[in-house]
Amino acid sequence: DGMNVLFIIVDDLRPVLGCYGDKLVKSPNIDQLASQSIVFSNAYAQQAVCAPSRVSFLTGRRPDTTRLYDFYSYWRVHAGNYSTMPQYFKENGYVTLSVGKVFHPGISSNYSDDYPYSWSIPPFHPSAEKHENDKTCRGEDGKLYANLVCPVDVTEMPGGTLPDIQSTEEAIHLLNIMKTNRQKFFLAVGYHKPHIPLRYPQEFLKLYPLENITLAPDPWVPKKLPSVAYNPWMDIRQRDDVEALNVSFPYGPLPDDFQRKIRQSYYAAVSYLDVQIGLLLNALDNVGLSHNTIVVFTADHGWSLGEHGEWAKYSNFDVATRVPLMFYVPGMTTSPVSQGARVFPYLDPFSHTGGSAPQGQIEKVVELVSLFSTLADLAGLQVPPACPEMSFGVVLCTEGTSLVRYFNISERMVEEGKEGCDDTDRCFKEEPFAFSQYPRPADTPQWNSDKPRLKDIRIMGYSMRTIDYRYTVWVQFDPNNFSANFEDVHAGELYMMENDPNQDYNIYNNTSHGW
């Protein structure tokens, strides 16, 4: 009859997880999910900022097709009346439910999270969400501030809770309802952390003593980084604790001890998130639905933690575009699961040591724009057709491709490029790549470089990531007709992954036009 779908989307989460080889983080529940899942090690978002990324993967179209590069337009009006992934499931008999931050709220989802098109009932937003940027962080002087680094006593918070705690409770409530009414469901749960402010229950700091926290391996601005490529992290500069440091614009740097505090709090927020996901997956077991529910786990983009002298997202580097991506499919990524079996017992990060290895790890480069096709394929629905070159008038099509062809293949076969297809020549030639892009208002960093409005965009950085390199060109862009002029190149970047995995040494100018 087709499986249910539990789609977990996290805000600003780079793959600092045990299952991705991070030695410091405590993420036992996500690692446990990975141990039952196919895990993609090289998955990339299409634009490293919330609204454009979410609209892209929820419609299966790239930002140049949704025409959303900022937060201020609704694609159905602005670009085309494109079907979304939850809408497609809804039209195929699923009850579709949204909890927390799935679509970006505001005009980019028509102030309704695209209800009623995408969802069967109005989406749930936690009431504590409205306090996210309030002065709730207690400073050393005992006063309250709107800080970046914000460990809190949850009992002192407005309403005595935090948004992600409320989202978990609501998602569990909906799972219990779904158990009794026996309808197929597509439940999307969007978590806020580790998005800034880094506000989380203070006990999670105990997991990360400050003396164990290192700086980024490359905390300097690379010498050959084009100025257009740099993001000056304006959003964290506006937080009370960062503002008090009086850091120079645009390159900083932040003091080393404060860099460690940010990194410590980011990790603490990830462990707090891991607890929420552990409770949610444990509830899936409790309602007896782990045997017939696909679980997808990903993030809208990454977040720089001091690499290249940068913080936040807003760039084309791997630290901003690379995301965790895993699929748990009972009977496919695991042996068949009997009804009522416990697959996801809750693991306490304060007492649980040692991570579990992923069920299968795929090194191929993949993109979030492929989520729509992949989930339709896994659920046994017809995979939406590939979009024609100009698809503004096409309601249902996708610019991604189903990733199911990578499932159930031994890693050895994948590495050799033999994807089990008949045309061996094509198999060997297939070189997957991921496209990301980022807009800028000017060639040099300015106050709106991170988040330019559409009318202010003058340059677009188009970036291609293959397993071997990241290649980016910054070209002239006209926001009036959404056109990029590849004849007018402002700057370029080329990083070879084998000897420069952190993307610190731009060799674009060492080569003839980067090639």
Side-chain angles (χ1 to χ4, degrees):
D1 296 334
M3 294 208 198
N4 306 309
V5 177
L6 174 58
F7 180 60
I8 303 170
I9 169 74
V10 184
D11 213 350
D12 291 20
L13 178 67
R14 57 192 261 163
V16 290
L17 298 164
C19 52
Y20 278 85
D22 192 287
K23 299 285 187 278
L24 186 63
V25 76
K26 307 265 192 303
S27 54
N29 294 288
I30 299 169
D31 298 347
Q32 177 172 249
L33 173 63
S35 75
Q36 305 289 329
S37 300
I38 289 285
V39 174
F40 286 88
S41 340
N42 284 297
Y44 295 89
Q46 276 44 79
Q47 190 179 324
V49 70
C50 304
S53 174
R54 289 162 187 266
V55 168
S56 171
F57 68 69
L58 287 164
T59 60
R61 319 236 188 170
R62 300 182 187 281
D64 279 349
T65 308
T66 66
R67 292 183 162 173
L68 182 70
Y69 315 105
D70 61 12
F71 298 79
Y72 306 108
S73 61
Y74 179 41
W75 78 92
R76 291 186 192 273
V77 174
H78 182 70
N81 187 27
Y82 311 144
S83 288
T84 68
M85 183 189 345
Q87 177 182 357
Y88 188 61
F89 275 82
K90 185 181 169 194
E91 288 164 354
N92 279 279
Y94 281 70
V95 177
T96 57
L97 307 158
S98 173
V99 171
K101 186 175 174 183
V102 179
F103 280 100
H104 192 84
I107 192 173
S108 63
S109 57
N110 204 32
Y111 298 102
S112 66
D113 297 273
D114 198 47
Y115 174 79
Y117 297 101
S118 288
W119 310 109
S120 303
I121 61 172
F124 169 85
H125 282 279
S127 59
E129 204 173 81
K130 61 180 172 290
H131 303 294
E132 205 46 0
N133 295 310
D134 290 1
K135 295 188 173 189
T136 53
C137 321
R138 202 165 291 288
E140 286 171 16
D141 58 4
K143 293 180 184 162
L144 293 176
Y145 294 92
N147 285 345
L148 169 64
V149 172
C150 186
V152 296
D153 177 343
V154 176
T155 61
E156 290 180 359
M157 292 300 98
T161 188
L162 291 170
D164 286 347
I165 294 171
Q166 289 184 294
S167 290
T168 302
E169 288 165 353
E170 177 65 13
I172 292 171
H173 169 66
L174 290 171
L175 284 175
N176 279 293
I177 293 172
M178 288 296 108
K179 174 195 176 182
T180 50
N181 74 6
R182 294 170 180 256
Q183 278 179 287
K184 280 188 303 188
F185 64 83
F186 177 104
L187 169 59
V189 184
Y191 285 108
H192 282 266
K193 292 302 132 215
H195 191 287
I196 67 168
L198 299 170
R199 190 171 67 134
Y200 52 85
Q202 60 200 15
E203 57 269 24
F204 286 92
L205 273 179
K206 290 186 206 131
L207 295 172
Y208 303 102
L210 206 49
E211 58 269 24
N212 294 353
I213 307 294
T214 58
L215 297 180
D218 52 349
W220 62 87
V221 179
K223 283 191 181 67
K224 293 189 176 177
L225 180 72
S227 52
V228 68
Y230 184 79
N231 70 282
W233 34 280
M234 285 301 291
D235 56 355
I236 80 164
R237 289 172 193 273
Q238 289 155 10
R239 302 279 159 178
D240 291 348
D241 49 354
V242 180
E243 201 173 17
L245 298 169
N246 208 13
V247 179
S248 65
F249 181 88
Y251 295 109
L254 288 170
D256 287 2
D257 61 336
F258 197 79
Q259 292 195 34
R260 286 191 177 89
K261 281 185 176 165
I262 298 176
R263 290 168 67 89
Q264 176 193 38
S265 274
Y266 188 90
Y267 275 94
V270 170
S271 290
Y272 158 58
L273 165 78
D274 183 76
V275 163
Q276 301 311 312
I277 286 162
L279 294 169
L280 176 61
L281 293 173
N282 185 56
L284 192 69
D285 276 355
N286 288 345
V287 294
L289 294 173
S290 301
H291 71 291
N292 65 349
T293 301
I294 295 162
V295 181
V296 193
F297 176 86
T298 191
D300 54 357
H301 44 72
W303 211 77
S304 300
L305 284 167
E307 295 86 1
H308 315 113
E310 294 182 309
W311 301 89
K313 46 254 187 182
Y314 316 127
S315 85
N316 281 320
F317 282 121
D318 276 22
V319 281
T321 55
R322 183 169 168 246
V323 293
L325 177 62
M326 60 189 79
F327 297 86
Y328 160 77
V329 190
M332 184 186 260
T333 64
T334 62
S335 45
V337 178
S338 56
Q339 188 163 358
R342 298 211 70 81
V343 185
F344 304 116
Y346 172 74
L347 302 173
D348 181 351
F350 291 91
S351 56
H352 188 83
T353 54
S356 16
Q359 177 64 25
Q361 205 139 11
I362 305 290
E363 296 291 328
K364 293 278 187 190
V365 172
V366 299
E367 307 178 282
L368 287 189
V369 76
S370 294
L371 272 170
F372 192 161
S373 311
T374 307
L375 275 176
D377 201 352
L378 288 172
L381 305 179
Q382 193 165 355
V383 177
C387 290
E389 198 159 323
M390 290 297 284
S391 64
F392 294 104
V394 183
V395 171
L396 180 66
C397 69
T398 170
E399 293 177 287
T401 54
S402 171
L403 304 178
V404 174
R405 66 188 185 282
Y406 295 137
F407 286 54
N408 280 351
I409 303 167
S410 75
E411 187 63 11
R412 184 183 61 79
M413 293 287 277
V414 172
E415 278 171 8
E416 288 172 15
K418 298 175 182 172
E419 254 105 78
C421 51
D422 302 333
D423 180 353
T424 313
D425 278 351
R426 188 183 67 74
C427 290
F428 276 108
K429 283 174 190 158
E430 186 193 1
E431 173 59 75
F433 48 79
F435 284 118
S436 302
Q437 61 190 99
Y438 212 86
R440 293 280 188 242
D443 285 299
T444 51
Q446 55 187 54
W447 67 273
N448 63 340
S449 289
D450 295 342
K451 294 189 278 193
R453 283 182 172 249
L454 175 64
K455 66 179 174 52
D456 297 322
I457 297 171
R458 294 292 172 270
I459 303 161
M460 188 69 74
Y462 289 95
S463 194
M464 182 167 83
R465 176 69 154 85
T466 73
I467 206 72
D468 298 319
Y469 61 84
R470 179 174 284 287
Y471 177 63
T472 304
V473 283
W474 296 89
V475 300
Q476 188 266 333
F477 184 84
D478 184 343
N480 298 307
N481 59 10
F482 304 93
S483 67
N485 178 7
F486 284 87
E487 303 296 303
D488 185 358
V489 177
H490 288 231
E493 297 170 79
L494 177 60
Y495 306 99
M496 304 310 291
M497 301 310 298
E498 191 175 2
N499 51 12
D500 183 19
N502 296 329
Q503 301 164 13
D504 294 320
Y505 303 100
N506 177 16
I507 62 167
Y508 177 84
N509 288 334
N510 309 14
T511 53
S512 166
H513 296 295
W515 218 229

